[in-house]
Amino acid sequence: MVENRRYRNILAYLVLAVGVVIVAFPVYLAILASTFDAATIINGNMPLVPGDQAAINYSRTLFVGASRTSREPVGLMMMNSFIMAMGIAVGKIFISVLSAYAVVYFRFPFRKTAFWVIFITLMLPVEVRIYPTYKIVADLGLLDTYTGLILPLIASATGTLLFRQFFMTIPDELLEASKIDGAGPFRFFKDTLIPLSITTIAALFVIQFIYGWNQYLWPLLITTKSSMQTIVIGIKKMITTQDALTEWQIAMTTAVLAMLPPVLVVVFMQRLFVKGLVETEK
Amino acid sequence: MAGVTLDTVKKVYAGNVEAVKGVSLGIDDGSFCVLVGPSGCGKSTLLRMIAGLETISGGAVKIGNRVVNEVEPSDRDIAMVFQNYALYPHMSVYDNMAYGLKNRGTPKPEIEKRVKEAARILAIEPFLDRKPRQLSGGQRQRVAMGRAIVRKPQVFLFDEPLSNLDAKLRVQMRVEIKRLQRALGVTSIYVTHDQVEAMTLSDKLVVMSGGQIEQVGTPAEVYRRPETRFVATFIGSPPMNILPGKVEGPGRVSIGDQMITVTDMKDGLTPGSAIEVGLRPEDVQAGTAGASTLTMDVDFVEELGATQLFHGKVAGAAFVVQASTGQIPADASHLALSIDPANVHLFDPQTTKRLGRI
């Protein structure tokens, strides 16, 4: 039995290792490519150990950008992407916490209807409602603005639903104790509901930040100025060239830079996330 | 300090369901009043109406001389202890107790003084920096009480505060609640379905059933002279035996073909009419013959340590007798029961009201 188990363990680790290599190798390749000059990459004999061009590549990418195609420094694109992702994540959390609070804790006419209307929007992701949304954003003069990038993506039901489910698990006695302790609706929200929701907020933030950062279709549609383009669009533009060589070293550096913020958000928020999970008790 | 007065208080839920059907009750300043009854009898609803957590459909609730029907819970000058404690999980014990005072704009030094004082009384000083989840059930219960004490309210409201504790702790906390209430002298209203809690804690015991008050009195009064069959069988453990009987004449009742005499019997009852005879298991002397005697067929015996419960039948109806262990051989198949005429309770089979002297 012991022999058997050891054999199985080895097999399991082998399978895992293969999986990790499959997932990680392209990422490693991107990092590698960001340390060579264009010639080394293009001649097809790129070594598997990092080269010495990293400093040049990264500084050129961040502050100058690809010379022929996207023509904007990637630093600016990252800034655009960051504003958009943050705007979506924060805006969505703000709106969904408030709407879930209203739906769960207040008795108002058509409460059920309001909830179902919110719920139904789950069936309408950006891609489905893209024409009317574009029309509205364009009519409001929000093309090529951060507001235009952020606002339409905030409106969706996932967050509201998540918070609603969470609020429903909070015992009524907590609300009643707050009432007796003289806390009005706003105080209860601020002093009890929000502190208890931290983990949910963290989870939603991670999901929404990455969702916002990775947006492609919507920014592609509504931004025309190159100074407004996001990093995801920037990469695409760098790679597709008409009559010139793709600057692979810049594209790869951009790809690595594009991966960085979501990774950081996950790493940083995960700590809060786990801490919250361990601490939560109602 | 203030008493609480309820004047025909009603609670009607949507769909015309009456949870509380016009309850009137006066609770004296500084007394400990326990509302007891089976689940669904409206006792919690009544308490929540006093707290202001439920709207009042009819009648008036007065705290002191002030009608509080339309007053917010926080302005009623009450404090409430919940069954599941309802402590704020993310706040420390100190903050849990201070929260109400903070919201009221009490100055910081005063808050600190009061919280420390309450913590000292409840012996939770070492836990002030902890979160509720780091405390045991009993400690959480103390914090919940501390939160009530620091407010220095006119009235304490307890909603089954001991139900979540284990049996041993429950007894301990029961004693502590009583001691605390005595020491602070604050009017208290306590809801429970546990009759032992009800008997031991209360100055005034209110037995409720079906949204109405069945009887109000001291625990001794309620136990000695239950006004309805419901109260008779609800208060006391094991519950009172009820036997079908027949009126034979003044002070005389028959059960099957056996005759007993009764002290507390209403005058002018028609001989031959049906009557219900209540006998407490602990009031019956087993194994001896007395002024009036019943015989019982024994089915089985339950051991309780100090006492034994003999289950069986008297005149075809189920009957339980309590006897000291060793007093009667456990294999007895028939028992003679000696009945003290003063310990017989008579009830009207139709109205279930007591048929005693007024």
Side-chain angles (χ1 to χ4, degrees):
Chain A
M1 277 311 279
V2 176
E3 242 72 7
N4 197 0
R5 192 174 296 163
R6 182 177 297 163
Y7 172 72
R8 265 199 234 164
N9 272 348
I10 290 170
L11 189 75
Y13 276 109
L14 215 64
V15 171
L16 282 174
V18 170
V20 168
V21 167
I22 291 173
V23 173
F25 189 69
V27 177
Y28 178 68
L29 216 58
I31 295 171
L32 211 57
S34 71
T35 62
F36 289 105
D37 57 15
T40 320
I41 302 172
I42 288 165
N43 76 19
N45 290 324
M46 192 174 74
L48 280 178
V49 286
D52 55 1
Q53 299 291 308
I56 300 167
N57 282 346
Y58 279 93
S59 67
R60 209 191 122 201
T61 308
L62 275 173
F63 303 112
V64 183
S67 45
R68 294 184 200 86
T69 47
S70 59
R71 269 181 257 109
E72 291 290 338
V74 172
L76 180 77
M77 296 181 197
M78 287 183 84
M79 182 68 150
N80 289 341
S81 278
F82 185 77
I83 291 173
M84 179 182 178
M86 274 306 249
I88 290 172
V90 172
K92 198 154 186 164
I93 288 168
F94 183 74
I95 283 191
S96 39
V97 164
L98 281 180
S99 55
Y101 182 49
V103 165
V104 175
Y105 285 98
F106 291 84
R107 307 272 167 278
F108 53 89
F110 305 113
R111 187 168 74 115
K112 274 251 166 68
T113 320
F115 174 71
W116 281 106
V117 167
I118 294 172
F119 189 77
I120 281 170
T121 61
L122 270 185
M123 292 178 228
L124 303 169
V126 183
E127 291 75 11
V128 175
R129 56 186 161 91
I130 202 148
Y131 176 69
T133 311
Y134 181 85
K135 170 84 173 122
I136 290 169
V137 169
D139 287 354
L140 289 173
L142 293 175
L143 296 179
D144 273 326
T145 62
Y146 289 124
T147 320
L149 274 173
I150 294 166
L151 215 53
L153 295 175
I154 284 178
S156 96
T158 37
T160 310
L161 221 63
L162 198 70
F163 283 111
R164 175 185 177 263
Q165 293 315 108
F166 174 71
F167 288 167
M168 306 250 277
T169 66
I170 292 177
D172 288 344
E173 281 86 351
L174 227 47
L175 171 65
E176 292 173 348
S178 294
K179 274 188 192 166
I180 290 176
D181 272 340
F186 180 69
R187 274 227 181 107
F188 173 67
F189 182 67
K190 173 174 78 84
D191 290 345
T192 306
L193 226 42
I194 294 296
L196 288 178
S197 309
I198 287 296
T199 38
T200 316
I201 291 175
L204 196 63
F205 182 84
V206 170
I207 296 166
Q208 292 305 325
F209 184 87
I210 294 170
Y211 167 81
W213 185 268
N214 290 341
Q215 276 303 314
Y216 177 68
L217 187 59
W218 183 248
L220 185 67
L221 267 181
I222 79 146
T223 57
T224 47
K225 280 191 216 152
S226 57
S227 66
M228 282 301 292
Q229 68 192 343
T230 62
I231 191 161
V232 178
I233 292 181
I235 296 173
K236 177 75 173 79
K237 277 197 189 164
M238 281 176 202
I239 296 170
T240 353
T241 49
Q242 299 298 330
D243 50 1
L245 284 175
T246 300
E247 289 172 280
W248 280 110
Q249 83 282 22
I250 302 294
M252 286 304 186
T253 309
T254 311
V256 172
L257 288 172
M259 274 186 279
L260 225 50
V263 169
L264 288 179
V265 163
V266 169
V267 168
F268 174 72
M269 293 303 262
Q270 198 183 22
R271 277 168 58 198
L272 204 151
F273 197 62
V274 171
K275 189 174 154 230
L277 279 185
V278 176
E279 269 191 3
T280 301
E281 189 182 315
K282 282 158 283 199
Chain B
M1 298 296 134
V4 175
T5 316
L6 308 180
D7 183 18
T8 54
V9 172
K10 273 187 198 165
K11 179 71 195 180
V12 186
Y13 283 112
N16 231 4
V17 183
E18 274 199 315
V20 176
K21 301 170 183 168
V23 166
S24 296
L25 180 67
I27 299 162
D28 296 335
D29 185 8
S31 72
F32 201 123
C33 172
V34 175
L35 307 178
V36 67
S39 31
C41 72
K43 56 190 191 301
S44 278
T45 311
L46 195 60
L47 189 80
R48 292 165 57 80
M49 281 196 279
I50 299 171
L53 299 172
E54 299 269 357
T55 53
I56 297 163
S57 314
V61 172
K62 277 164 91 179
I63 296 176
N65 293 320
R66 181 169 69 133
V67 176
V68 293
N69 283 29
E70 303 295 328
V71 178
E72 286 293 316
S74 54
D75 299 329
R76 291 191 182 194
D77 217 353
I78 49 133
M80 188 155 170
V81 177
F82 294 88
Q83 179 176 350
N84 63 3
Y85 322 130
L87 300 175
Y88 309 112
H90 55 290
M91 293 187 198
S92 69
V93 167
Y94 182 95
D95 289 336
N96 260 287
M97 298 210 280
Y99 188 57
L101 296 174
K102 241 180 240 167
N103 288 342
R104 219 154 284 261
T106 315
K108 269 224 163 99
E110 172 71 11
I111 294 180
E112 187 166 345
K113 207 186 97 203
R114 288 210 209 172
V115 172
K116 290 268 161 69
E117 168 79 5
R120 192 183 53 74
I121 294 172
L122 292 162
I124 48 174
E125 283 163 310
F127 314 127
L128 282 178
D129 293 329
R130 296 208 195 157
K131 295 272 175 69
R133 86 196 126 78
Q134 295 165 310
L135 303 179
S136 70
Q139 288 163 347
R140 286 182 208 185
Q141 183 61 64
R142 279 166 212 264
V143 177
M145 293 209 292
R147 189 165 65 178
I149 292 174
V150 293
R151 300 264 308 277
K152 300 200 170 157
Q154 306 263 20
V155 183
F156 281 141
L157 304 174
F158 297 91
D159 190 1
E160 310 212 11
L162 303 182
S163 326
N164 281 7
L165 299 178
D166 63 57
K168 200 175 155 195
L169 215 63
R170 205 177 302 165
V171 175
Q172 192 189 329
M173 289 306 290
R174 193 175 79 202
V175 175
E176 268 181 53
I177 288 180
K178 182 77 177 172
R179 185 178 300 141
L180 199 65
Q181 196 268 342
R182 279 282 141 78
L184 300 172
V186 177
T187 315
S188 300
I189 305 175
Y190 187 108
V191 162
T192 181
H193 60 260
D194 181 320
Q195 49 145 321
V196 180
E197 267 171 41
M199 293 289 286
T200 49
L201 285 171
S202 59
D203 299 321
K204 184 176 227 166
L205 184 57
V206 180
V207 185
M208 290 185 68
S209 162
Q212 277 167 321
I213 291 182
E214 291 277 331
Q215 188 172 354
V216 180
T218 65
E221 279 166 13
V222 173
Y223 176 79
R224 279 285 107 208
R225 208 168 182 284
E227 288 300 332
T228 64
R229 187 180 60 192
F230 173 81
V231 176
T233 50
F234 190 77
I235 298 293
S237 174
M240 186 186 280
N241 299 295
I242 302 287
L243 297 171
K246 210 160 71 177
V247 177
E248 294 295 334
R252 280 152 44 81
V253 172
S254 66
I255 295 160
D257 49 7
Q258 311 176 68
M259 194 78 75
I260 58 171
T261 53
V262 184
T263 320
D264 188 21
M265 184 170 176
K266 195 177 174 184
D267 297 325
L269 291 173
T270 327
S273 59
I275 198 161
E276 285 182 339
V277 181
L279 289 165
R280 292 206 183 272
E282 58 273 29
D283 285 344
V284 174
Q285 280 291 319
T288 53
S292 38
T293 309
L294 291 173
T295 53
M296 168 180 172
D297 301 321
V298 180
D299 292 336
F300 61 93
V301 183
E302 276 184 316
E303 291 286 349
L304 296 179
T307 58
Q308 291 172 312
L309 294 181
F310 288 79
H311 291 258
K313 284 195 167 64
V314 168
F319 203 89
V320 179
V321 178
Q322 190 172 350
S324 301
T325 302
Q327 188 189 339
I328 300 160
D331 57 356
S333 61
H334 294 280
L335 281 180
L337 309 174
S338 157
I339 311 294
D340 181 346
N343 287 337
V344 182
H345 310 267
L346 297 177
F347 301 100
D348 187 317
Q350 257 83 53
T351 63
T352 79
K353 292 242 171 354
R354 185 182 185 90
L355 294 173
R357 289 176 203 282
I358 314 294

